[in-house]
PDB file of all heavy atoms in Angstrom:
ATOM      1  N   ALA A  34    -133.864 -54.115-128.192  1.00 97.00           N
ATOM      2  CA  ALA A  34    -135.317 -54.312-128.182  1.00 97.00           C
ATOM      3  C   ALA A  34    -135.738 -54.677-126.767  1.00 97.00           C
ATOM      4  O   ALA A  34    -134.896 -54.927-125.889  1.00 97.00           O
ATOM      5  CB  ALA A  34    -135.729 -55.409-129.168  1.00 97.00           C
ATOM      6  N   LEU A  40    -133.835 -61.573-128.791  1.00 97.00           N
ATOM      7  CA  LEU A  40    -132.528 -61.019-129.136  1.00 97.00           C
ATOM      8  C   LEU A  40    -131.429 -62.060-128.968  1.00 97.00           C
ATOM      9  O   LEU A  40    -130.480 -62.113-129.756  1.00 97.00           O
ATOM     10  CB  LEU A  40    -132.224 -59.804-128.258  1.00 97.00           C
ATOM     11  CG  LEU A  40    -133.050 -58.542-128.507  1.00 97.00           C
ATOM     12  CD1 LEU A  40    -132.634 -57.451-127.525  1.00 97.00           C
ATOM     13  CD2 LEU A  40    -132.895 -58.057-129.945  1.00 97.00           C
ATOM     14  N   GLY A  51    -120.943 -66.057-138.721  1.00 97.00           N
ATOM     15  CA  GLY A  51    -119.622 -65.444-138.805  1.00 97.00           C
ATOM     16  C   GLY A  51    -119.576 -63.986-138.416  1.00 97.00           C
ATOM     17  O   GLY A  51    -118.519 -63.356-138.502  1.00 97.00           O
ATOM     18  N   THR A  55    -124.314 -58.014-130.092  1.00 97.00           N
ATOM     19  CA  THR A  55    -124.597 -58.012-128.660  1.00 97.00           C
ATOM     20  C   THR A  55    -126.067 -57.643-128.466  1.00 97.00           C
ATOM     21  O   THR A  55    -126.556 -56.703-129.096  1.00 97.00           O
ATOM     22  CB  THR A  55    -123.711 -56.986-127.925  1.00 97.00           C
ATOM     23  OG1 THR A  55    -122.334 -57.289-128.164  1.00 97.00           O
ATOM     24  CG2 THR A  55    -123.988 -56.992-126.433  1.00 97.00           C
ATOM     25  N   THR A 116    -137.603 -42.255-131.314  1.00 98.00           N
ATOM     26  CA  THR A 116    -136.536 -41.782-132.200  1.00 98.00           C
ATOM     27  C   THR A 116    -135.787 -40.614-131.564  1.00 98.00           C
ATOM     28  O   THR A 116    -134.554 -40.536-131.633  1.00 98.00           O
ATOM     29  CB  THR A 116    -137.125 -41.364-133.554  1.00 98.00           C
ATOM     30  OG1 THR A 116    -137.647 -42.526-134.216  1.00 98.00           O
ATOM     31  CG2 THR A 116    -136.076 -40.709-134.448  1.00 98.00           C
ATOM     32  N   THR A 120    -131.852 -40.982-130.510  1.00 98.00           N
ATOM     33  CA  THR A 120    -130.953 -40.104-131.270  1.00 98.00           C
ATOM     34  C   THR A 120    -130.189 -39.168-130.342  1.00 98.00           C
ATOM     35  O   THR A 120    -128.966 -39.007-130.468  1.00 98.00           O
ATOM     36  CB  THR A 120    -131.749 -39.300-132.311  1.00 98.00           C
ATOM     37  OG1 THR A 120    -132.386 -40.210-133.220  1.00 98.00           O
ATOM     38  CG2 THR A 120    -130.843 -38.367-133.097  1.00 98.00           C
ATOM     39  N   ILE A 135    -127.128 -41.632-139.157  1.00 99.00           N
ATOM     40  CA  ILE A 135    -128.403 -41.918-138.506  1.00 99.00           C
ATOM     41  C   ILE A 135    -129.395 -42.311-139.586  1.00 99.00           C
ATOM     42  O   ILE A 135    -129.628 -41.558-140.533  1.00 99.00           O
ATOM     43  CB  ILE A 135    -128.933 -40.689-137.738  1.00 99.00           C
ATOM     44  CG1 ILE A 135    -127.965 -40.300-136.617  1.00 99.00           C
ATOM     45  CG2 ILE A 135    -130.330 -40.973-137.172  1.00 99.00           C
ATOM     46  CD1 ILE A 135    -128.299 -38.966-135.971  1.00 99.00           C
ATOM     47  N   ALA A 164    -136.552 -36.199-139.072  1.00 98.00           N
ATOM     48  CA  ALA A 164    -135.415 -36.520-139.946  1.00 98.00           C
ATOM     49  C   ALA A 164    -134.952 -35.291-140.721  1.00 98.00           C
ATOM     50  O   ALA A 164    -133.751 -34.979-140.773  1.00 98.00           O
ATOM     51  CB  ALA A 164    -135.799 -37.648-140.909  1.00 98.00           C
ATOM     52  N   LEU A 171    -127.712 -30.626-138.223  1.00 98.00           N
ATOM     53  CA  LEU A 171    -126.401 -31.270-138.146  1.00 98.00           C
ATOM     54  C   LEU A 171    -125.494 -30.896-139.320  1.00 98.00           C
ATOM     55  O   LEU A 171    -124.361 -31.378-139.408  1.00 98.00           O
ATOM     56  CB  LEU A 171    -126.558 -32.790-138.094  1.00 98.00           C
ATOM     57  CG  LEU A 171    -127.223 -33.349-136.836  1.00 98.00           C
ATOM     58  CD1 LEU A 171    -127.354 -34.864-136.938  1.00 98.00           C
ATOM     59  CD2 LEU A 171    -126.454 -32.965-135.583  1.00 98.00           C
ATOM     60  N   ASP A 182    -138.290 -44.908-146.362  1.00 98.00           N
ATOM     61  CA  ASP A 182    -139.753 -44.892-146.343  1.00 98.00           C
ATOM     62  C   ASP A 182    -140.321 -46.089-147.097  1.00 98.00           C
ATOM     63  O   ASP A 182    -140.571 -46.014-148.305  1.00 98.00           O
ATOM     64  CB  ASP A 182    -140.274 -43.594-146.968  1.00 98.00           C
ATOM     65  CG  ASP A 182    -139.907 -42.373-146.154  1.00 98.00           C
ATOM     66  OD1 ASP A 182    -140.043 -42.430-144.917  1.00 98.00           O
ATOM     67  OD2 ASP A 182    -139.490 -41.365-146.746  1.00 98.00           O
ATOM     68  N   PHE A 191    -146.119 -56.799-137.800  1.00 84.00           N
ATOM     69  CA  PHE A 191    -146.658 -55.449-137.947  1.00 84.00           C
ATOM     70  C   PHE A 191    -148.189 -55.458-137.947  1.00 84.00           C
ATOM     71  O   PHE A 191    -148.840 -54.730-137.204  1.00 84.00           O
ATOM     72  CB  PHE A 191    -146.132 -54.809-139.237  1.00 84.00           C
ATOM     73  CG  PHE A 191    -146.617 -53.392-139.446  1.00 84.00           C
ATOM     74  CD1 PHE A 191    -145.943 -52.329-138.882  1.00 84.00           C
ATOM     75  CD2 PHE A 191    -147.758 -53.132-140.195  1.00 84.00           C
ATOM     76  CE1 PHE A 191    -146.386 -51.021-139.063  1.00 84.00           C
ATOM     77  CE2 PHE A 191    -148.213 -51.842-140.385  1.00 84.00           C
ATOM     78  CZ  PHE A 191    -147.530 -50.783-139.817  1.00 84.00           C
ATOM     79  N   ASP A 199    -155.346 -60.021-134.381  1.00 83.00           N
ATOM     80  CA  ASP A 199    -156.302 -60.629-135.310  1.00 83.00           C
ATOM     81  C   ASP A 199    -155.578 -61.007-136.604  1.00 83.00           C
ATOM     82  O   ASP A 199    -155.324 -60.169-137.468  1.00 83.00           O
ATOM     83  CB  ASP A 199    -157.435 -59.648-135.613  1.00 83.00           C
ATOM     84  CG  ASP A 199    -158.596 -60.277-136.373  1.00 83.00           C
ATOM     85  OD1 ASP A 199    -158.325 -61.111-137.264  1.00 83.00           O
ATOM     86  OD2 ASP A 199    -159.765 -59.931-136.106  1.00 83.00           O
ATOM     87  N   TRP A 225    -127.467 -50.610-147.959  1.00 98.00           N
ATOM     88  CA  TRP A 225    -126.896 -49.918-149.117  1.00 98.00           C
ATOM     89  C   TRP A 225    -126.660 -48.441-148.814  1.00 98.00           C
ATOM     90  O   TRP A 225    -125.582 -47.900-149.085  1.00 98.00           O
ATOM     91  CB  TRP A 225    -127.808 -50.062-150.332  1.00 98.00           C
ATOM     92  CG  TRP A 225    -127.247 -49.408-151.555  1.00 98.00           C
ATOM     93  CD1 TRP A 225    -126.321 -49.919-152.416  1.00 98.00           C
ATOM     94  CD2 TRP A 225    -127.553 -48.085-152.040  1.00 98.00           C
ATOM     95  NE1 TRP A 225    -126.025 -49.005-153.414  1.00 98.00           N
ATOM     96  CE2 TRP A 225    -126.765 -47.871-153.205  1.00 98.00           C
ATOM     97  CE3 TRP A 225    -128.408 -47.073-151.610  1.00 98.00           C
ATOM     98  CZ2 TRP A 225    -126.823 -46.689-153.936  1.00 98.00           C
ATOM     99  CZ3 TRP A 225    -128.464 -45.886-152.323  1.00 98.00           C
ATOM    100  CH2 TRP A 225    -127.680 -45.704-153.474  1.00 98.00           C
TER     101      TRP A 225
END
Side-chain angles (χ1 to χ4, degrees):
L40 290 179
T55 302
T116 294
T120 299
I135 298 170
L171 294 178
D182 294 316
F191 181 86
D199 190 321
W225 182 82

